[in-house]
Amino acid sequence: MASSSSLTLSQALLTRAISINGYENSVSIPAFSGLKSTTTAPRIITNRSSYSLRHVIRASVAETIDTTTDSSLVDKSVNTIRFLAIDAVEKAKSGHPGLPMGCAPMSHILYDEIMRYNPKNPYWFNRDRFVLSAGHGCMLQYALLHLAGYDSVREEDLMSFRQWGSKTPGHPENFETPGVEVTTGPLGQGIANAVGLALAEKHLAARFNKPGNEIVDHYTYSILGDGCQMEGLSHEVCSLAGHWGLGKLIAFYDDNHISIDGDTEIAFTENVDKRFEALGWHVIWVKNGNTGYDEIRAAIREAKAVTDKPTLIKVTTTIGYGSPNKANSYSVHGAALGEKEVEATRSNLGWPYAPFQVPEDVKSHWSRHTPEGAAHEADWNAKFTAYEKMYPEEAAELKSIISGELPAGWEKALPTYTPESPGDATRNLSQQCLNALAKVVPGFLGGSADLASSNMTLLKSFGDFQKATPEERNLRFGVREHGMGAICNGIALHSPGFIPYCATFFVFTDYMRAAMRISALSEAGVIYVMTHDSIGLGEDGPTHQPVEHISSFRAMPNIMMFRPADGNETAGAYKIAVTKRNTPSVLALSRQKLPHLPGTSIENVEKGGYTISDNSTGNKPDVILIGTGSELEIAAQAAEVLRKEGKTVRVVSFVCWELFDEQSDAYKESVLPSDVSARVSIEAGSTFGWGKIVGGKGKSIGIDSFGASAPAGKLYKEFGITIEAMVEAAKSLI
């Protein structure tokens, strides 16, 4: 492996991905030879000085994309994609062959004629991104990656489709298969991620491109189906994409009129074209998506000519195209064709090849993508080198975003507090952290679901990301929690140095939980800033008071649930959240003012749980009082009452369970000695899960019912979240 000092930026990024994800056996660092592309790129009309946009579009439709590939070879390539999918699903006896069979023509043209990528470096920065939002049809993407020369999807990987340990799982997973940009499967998530990817490109282009030096220039393509169109999430994100004018987002709608239950006529009869036009999209209809290659090419050209809005290309296809008995039916959607129907399809499409066999002329045709991809990357590397000399400051910022390397000393910008500092709500302290980080971390950006003034998430040094000002860093998501979370996943997965945050009231994580789960699964380090974290928000009542939410996120794998108690813990949570790029973080923050407690610190937050005060010796306190967030103050005050009565008391902040679980057994024993069974926890939320911390003989004070509408102080008293309740519980155990 090459030394870091000799690596280009693209190679360094690949090296970093290998070290993090362990792809040594499937990806190697390429040696660039300066090879030039051997095909002619499609010509796109960009001069609008003498024509209206409508005239340009009409002219572009009349043109054809330059290509030396004859139609018979295109047919053979398309059928290769179909049969790789058919054979993999048949061997696994599980999967979804219908979509790959119907979408093979449009995806072939995309991957073979349109998109720029480097198969030997799936992480090259300026590559075009592809998202299969209809992720159940993942054999389509695996077949394309295989033909294009990606080392992550070899023949043996196709043959082990959906099997244990394979690089070809049942839905695309970015952390498993290099070349897959985002994790898709839950319908609507993919197109939402694609909006995030396109937003990231538009933002970077506006910030860093210079006249005559467009260092950021790539497209985001997505294929979505009827299921994605029906999910409310797609409405949220496509509304934002139109509002933001994401002109380099091109979505292909697989219009096959079939869902799992049958013909879409039973539940989905709206005019999708009109809806997307109303959302601010340009809409094109390809009426023959099965064999209309020139129609597809013309549609893509037209989409690229429209730069001020995203484009939806509705491609009418036949699900399961080529299957004589199952095409255009729900039976081909989610099950293997069966041996007899596979043979009938081979006969119907004139396919004499063995399972998984790629014809030599198809293999030879697709093999050119390896040298072409290397040339694309080498050209970009040279362009970046020249850019770096001309614009060193901008290049340094862009390099940080591309590589994920944080500026030296960035963490010193985080504010610190003492017990003498004025008390404040942790949502306000959070805003101080957000604004400090935005000044020193180039890829830090985000926003709120129409609650910025209440979540306290506005970046004061920056304006709003809007259609005309995409270089700005405040994202206005509107009342679209689910879309907000999913878009932030796309931003986070665009480049390692992007650190997006998003915010709403903690209770409304209910509206975005699916996106948050995908954050955790796909290792997207989004920071979720969740305010109004308990009954402490008061009079708005139980609809706005989260009770079970903290416990539910502690149960979710690969996500950090922080509940900071004061300013230092809030800053400490942000320090961890920024550095943990493969793990999302949730910060549950208070509306009510809290004091800065003696004993808390930024540094100790990384341990998850730690002692803030203790008057015992020999690691044997009479009782251990444990709190989080606004209730840590109650634990500290209860300890003082007990100490005045002669008891030895340890007070522990459990700011993040997940981080505590990562500590050594020796450290855990130093905080929670196993022979001290007298333990009391207090938290203004469900007691579910606290038995793990307090043990079988301990007690947990919490709220195992819904809240109520009243001032915060009254609620804490009525629900027993008090100093008196904690003292009484402790005495019962000593």
Side-chain angles (χ1 to χ4, degrees):
M1 188 169 288
S3 66
S4 59
S5 61
S6 65
L7 297 180
T8 65
L9 178 57
S10 294
Q11 290 172 302
L13 181 57
L14 176 59
T15 304
R16 182 178 184 276
I18 290 173
S19 66
I20 292 174
N21 298 308
Y23 292 139
E24 291 92 340
N25 296 326
S26 60
V27 180
S28 59
I29 295 177
F32 299 107
S33 60
L35 294 173
K36 300 300 179 184
S37 174
T38 57
T39 61
T40 303
R43 183 169 67 85
I44 302 170
I45 297 175
T46 57
N47 182 359
R48 297 185 176 82
S49 59
S50 58
Y51 296 98
S52 69
L53 180 60
R54 185 179 300 276
H55 291 149
V56 172
I57 293 171
R58 286 176 176 170
S60 66
V61 172
E63 295 179 354
T64 58
I65 290 178
D66 296 327
T67 177
T68 57
T69 308
D70 62 57
S71 59
S72 62
L73 184 54
V74 173
D75 285 337
K76 189 179 283 190
S77 287
V78 168
N79 281 334
T80 299
I81 295 166
R82 289 182 174 127
F83 280 98
L84 287 175
I86 290 169
D87 295 337
V89 172
E90 193 65 28
K91 188 174 188 299
K93 304 300 180 187
S94 173
H96 300 75
L99 183 144
M101 295 168 72
C103 290
M106 69 176 94
S107 60
H108 162 81
I109 290 171
L110 259 183
Y111 263 83
D112 188 50
E113 300 178 13
I114 304 298
M115 288 175 56
R116 292 179 303 169
Y117 53 87
N118 182 0
K120 301 309 176 185
N121 183 4
Y123 307 103
W124 169 46
F125 165 72
N126 208 40
R127 68 191 181 277
D128 290 332
R129 271 73 169 174
F130 173 78
V131 176
L132 183 62
S133 189
H136 55 273
C138 57
M139 264 311 306
L140 173 71
Q141 190 165 14
Y142 299 148
L144 293 165
L145 294 174
H146 177 65
L147 290 176
Y150 284 77
D151 294 328
S152 54
V153 186
R154 303 176 188 269
E155 183 177 339
E156 56 266 32
D157 297 303
L158 298 177
M159 296 178 72
S160 60
F161 175 55
R162 286 186 163 223
Q163 304 308 302
W164 176 265
S166 76
K167 292 292 182 185
T168 50
H171 288 85
E173 298 171 1
N174 62 290
F175 54 92
E176 288 286 358
T177 314
V180 171
E181 300 288 353
V182 298
T183 296
T184 59
L187 295 176
Q189 293 290 336
I191 185 61
N193 293 168
V195 171
L197 292 169
L199 181 154
E201 192 278 342
K202 182 166 185 171
H203 173 70
L204 292 179
R207 274 178 71 179
F208 297 108
N209 284 351
K210 304 294 183 181
N213 203 330
E214 294 188 353
I215 200 68
V216 181
D217 178 21
H218 51 267
Y219 282 81
T220 301
Y221 300 96
S222 181
I223 292 178
L224 66 159
D226 289 306
C228 294
Q229 295 284 22
M230 288 186 240
E231 284 287 357
L233 172 60
S234 68
H235 297 234
E236 293 185 20
V237 300
C238 291
S239 173
L240 280 167
H243 170 73
W244 287 328
L246 301 181
K248 287 189 174 178
L249 173 62
I250 300 175
F252 295 81
Y253 167 30
D254 178 27
D255 174 41
N256 61 36
H257 298 282
I258 296 293
S259 61
I260 292 176
D261 278 352
D263 194 293
T264 55
E265 286 291 326
I266 63 176
F268 185 54
T269 55
E270 68 191 51
N271 189 322
V272 173
D273 305 48
K274 296 298 183 184
R275 170 158 62 88
F276 271 78
E277 287 175 358
L279 292 174
W281 288 56
H282 181 66
V283 178
I284 307 167
W285 182 15
V286 173
K287 297 180 181 179
N288 178 11
N290 297 325
T291 59
Y293 304 136
D294 285 340
E295 282 187 68
I296 296 170
R297 293 182 180 115
I300 296 171
R301 184 181 307 285
E302 179 177 335
K304 285 194 167 187
V306 178
T307 59
D308 64 338
K309 59 179 66 177
T311 295
L312 179 77
I313 304 176
K314 183 174 80 169
V315 186
T316 298
T317 65
T318 301
I319 190 171
Y321 180 88
S323 171
N325 300 303
K326 294 187 176 183
N328 200 35
S329 71
Y330 70 90
S331 61
V332 77
H333 171 87
L337 293 178
E339 185 178 346
K340 289 184 179 180
E341 190 63 16
V342 169
E343 291 308 311
T345 305
R346 275 182 152 78
S347 175
N348 188 41
L349 292 177
W351 194 252
Y353 302 97
F356 299 101
Q357 182 179 353
V358 177
E360 287 302 317
D361 50 351
V362 173
K363 188 182 299 183
S364 175
H365 173 73
W366 278 80
S367 67
R368 77 188 192 284
H369 289 291
T370 294
E372 284 183 7
H376 285 316
E377 182 173 345
D379 288 345
W380 185 85
N381 286 336
K383 193 172 184 179
F384 184 82
T385 299
Y387 179 92
E388 193 170 21
K389 291 178 180 177
M390 296 175 66
Y391 310 103
E393 292 184 8
E394 292 89 339
E397 285 198 359
L398 179 57
K399 186 180 290 187
S400 174
I401 295 171
I402 292 173
S403 67
E405 297 297 326
L406 293 167
W410 67 272
E411 69 281 0
K412 296 177 183 178
L414 287 166
T416 58
Y417 306 88
T418 69
E420 291 70 41
S421 301
D424 208 344
T426 50
R427 63 170 174 167
N428 294 333
L429 301 167
S430 165
Q431 185 173 47
Q432 295 174 21
C433 294
L434 288 172
N435 278 273
L437 289 170
K439 292 177 181 179
V440 296
V441 179
F444 200 80
L445 78 171
S448 170
D450 199 50
L451 288 168
S453 60
S454 191
N455 298 143
M456 308 305 292
T457 50
L458 193 67
L459 301 180
K460 297 177 181 179
S461 298
F462 300 94
D464 292 343
F465 178 99
Q466 295 289 355
K467 186 175 183 177
T469 55
E471 70 279 4
E472 300 292 353
R473 287 156 72 175
N474 283 298
L475 305 180
R476 303 289 192 170
F477 291 103
V479 188
R480 301 180 182 93
E481 292 90 354
H482 196 180
M484 173 176 68
I487 287 171
C488 283
N489 285 340
I491 297 171
L493 294 172
H494 181 278
S495 293
F498 265 128
I499 305 177
Y501 68 88
C502 60
T504 185
F505 290 174
F506 190 30
V507 75
F508 297 138
T509 54
D510 288 340
Y511 283 85
M512 60 194 299
R513 185 172 299 272
M516 297 176 78
R517 186 176 187 273
I518 292 295
S519 292
L521 177 63
S522 61
E523 302 176 0
V526 177
I527 301 176
Y528 292 93
V529 183
M530 301 291 113
T531 68
H532 298 64
D533 67 335
S534 70
I535 59 169
L537 69 89
E539 292 86 346
D540 277 345
T543 61
H544 283 52
Q545 294 168 358
V547 176
E548 75 281 14
H549 299 71
I550 299 172
S551 298
S552 70
F553 285 110
R554 287 173 179 155
M556 187 179 287
N558 193 44
I559 195 166
M560 292 181 293
M561 179 67 243
F562 291 95
R563 193 151 182 263
D566 62 6
N568 286 326
E569 288 200 343
T570 301
Y574 273 110
K575 180 181 176 182
I576 299 298
V578 167
T579 56
K580 294 267 191 177
R581 291 294 77 230
N582 289 359
T583 303
S585 301
V586 182
L587 277 67
L589 305 167
S590 74
R591 179 193 184 195
Q592 70 272 34
K593 288 186 177 182
L594 303 175
H596 301 282
L597 298 171
T600 62
S601 73
I602 293 176
E603 294 73 25
N604 279 328
V605 171
E606 67 185 21
K607 298 174 183 176
Y610 66 99
T611 300
I612 69 164
S613 68
D614 190 1
N615 68 329
S616 69
T617 59
N619 204 26
K620 281 192 173 183
D622 293 328
V623 65
I624 301 174
L625 305 184
I626 308 166
T628 74
S630 48
E631 291 73 65
L632 185 60
E633 176 193 6
I634 295 176
Q637 292 177 336
E640 290 304 311
V641 173
L642 291 167
R643 287 168 185 160
K644 288 177 181 178
E645 297 180 4
K647 305 296 188 293
T648 59
V649 185
R650 175 175 296 172
V651 179
V652 173
S653 171
F654 246 70
V655 60
C656 180
W657 291 23
E658 295 78 18
L659 290 175
F660 187 77
D661 286 343
E662 294 176 4
Q663 305 308 308
S664 66
D665 290 341
Y667 177 78
K668 293 175 185 176
E669 180 68 16
S670 74
V671 177
L672 298 177
S674 54
D675 59 353
V676 179
S677 60
R679 304 176 186 178
V680 182
S681 69
I682 187 165
E683 187 170 60
S686 170
T687 60
F688 182 83
W690 273 106
K692 167 186 173 182
I693 308 301
V694 301
K697 297 181 179 180
K699 290 191 174 183
S700 295
I701 298 172
I703 303 172
D704 292 315
S705 65
F706 291 114
S709 180
K714 179 68 172 177
L715 291 171
Y716 269 73
K717 182 179 179 180
E718 293 296 330
F719 283 104
I721 312 298
T722 63
I723 298 168
E724 294 77 13
M726 198 164 203
V727 169
E728 181 181 350
K731 287 182 176 179
S732 72
L733 298 175
I734 297 175

